[in-house]
Amino acid sequence: MKSKTFRKSPTVLIVAIVAVVLVVAVTFASIYRVSESVNRVFSISNLVASADISFFGGADVSDYQTEYGIKASADPLAPNYIGKLRVSVKYKGQGVGLIRVRIAEEWSTTANSVRRVLPFKLQLPYTIDSPYITGQDSGNAKKWFDNRDNDQHFYYATPVRCTSNSVEKTIPLISGGLAGSFNTNLLPAGADIHVVVEADVVQVNRYPQYWGLDHLPWVGGVSLTQEDLSA
């Protein structure tokens, strides 16, 4: 008796191959779309901002740099007296950006090699170059808005740009001694002040994402106008 040979239909194999091709195609398409999106997001600008910190009178800031920040003194006769602190922002970039500077102070004492941070809240009255005065100023201005009560930052109250990327511009922030006296009587003798200064810049349309702000903090702030620092 002759045995019959049954040949399987190629349909199942063809369908399987087509399915694999489709999966690979969709995978590569997804990778391509993701890569394209990432490139668009991160190829944004060349904005650069940094804090330039010094002590009036010539004291070398590097001599007072510690792991906790710049060590300052409450003694007006000390070369690193807090009232001699000076801060400017170095900025360059052809894109339109927003600048802010975080200034935070920490008071502490050290005894028997044990450092203790003091629960002492004090808003130091720095002399600000071109301060933004609420009630007198409104809208964008080439001035510094003091938002320390909310987030420890000063904001340069206008979007800025430089027409020449090769030119670095200096924007003074703290330009003089303390504008008023501050009471240190509540502090133990020998208390240290450590100051942290950080400059930050973001692309003007990205401040909600990077800074977590729903709106610009100064009165009537708008992101649609800009100032050219090269002018």
Side-chain angles (χ1 to χ4, degrees):
M1 179 177 179
K2 294 183 178 180
S3 60
K4 294 183 179 179
T5 302
F6 295 95
R7 295 184 179 179
K8 294 183 179 180
S9 173
T11 304
V12 175
L13 180 59
I14 293 173
V15 170
I17 293 174
V18 171
V20 170
V21 170
L22 287 175
V23 169
V24 172
V26 170
T27 301
F28 276 105
S30 299
I31 293 174
Y32 174 76
R33 285 198 300 271
V34 170
S35 299
E36 183 183 33
S37 176
V38 168
N39 288 337
R40 283 203 306 269
V41 170
F42 289 99
S43 299
I44 49 177
S45 64
N46 55 356
L47 307 178
V48 178
S50 60
D52 185 38
I53 308 163
S54 62
F55 282 114
F56 180 76
D60 191 341
V61 170
S62 63
D63 291 340
Y64 303 98
Q65 185 66 54
T66 74
E67 60 182 310
Y68 307 110
I70 298 169
K71 184 177 180 179
S73 172
D75 180 2
L77 300 180
N80 62 329
Y81 172 54
I82 186 63
K84 296 178 181 179
L85 185 72
R86 301 291 184 268
V87 176
S88 296
V89 174
K90 301 290 187 181
Y91 174 84
K92 66 178 180 179
Q94 293 178 312
V96 181
L98 287 164
I99 299 171
R100 71 178 183 178
V101 178
R102 174 176 174 258
I103 299 181
E105 302 90 11
E106 180 183 82
W107 301 74
S108 65
T109 58
T110 302
N112 298 322
S113 300
V114 177
R115 183 173 181 270
R116 184 170 68 91
V117 176
L118 302 177
F120 189 80
K121 181 175 176 58
L122 180 66
Q123 195 77 285
L124 289 177
Y126 296 115
T127 296
I128 304 303
D129 187 89
S130 300
Y132 192 102
I133 303 174
T134 302
Q136 174 180 313
D137 296 312
S138 62
N140 291 358
K142 295 172 74 173
K143 297 182 176 183
W144 289 102
F145 179 77
D146 188 351
N147 202 47
R148 286 180 294 168
D149 283 340
N150 297 313
D151 61 9
Q152 295 184 321
H153 285 89
F154 287 95
Y155 289 78
Y156 199 58
T158 188
V160 296
R161 63 185 173 89
C162 286
T163 53
S164 175
N165 188 46
S166 61
V167 177
E168 185 177 63
K169 288 296 180 179
T170 299
I171 310 172
L173 173 53
I174 299 176
S175 57
L178 298 181
S181 61
F182 62 99
N183 183 12
T184 60
N185 293 331
L186 299 176
L187 293 171
D192 294 324
I193 311 169
H194 287 92
V195 184
V196 173
V197 182
E198 299 171 337
D200 187 18
V201 58
V202 296
Q203 199 174 21
V204 67
N205 61 332
R206 302 289 287 172
Y207 75 86
Q209 292 88 347
Y210 285 97
W211 288 352
L213 300 175
D214 296 328
H215 59 275
L216 297 175
W218 58 91
V219 179
V222 294
S223 59
L224 301 178
T225 63
Q226 56 188 265
E227 294 282 350
D228 184 3
L229 294 178
S230 298

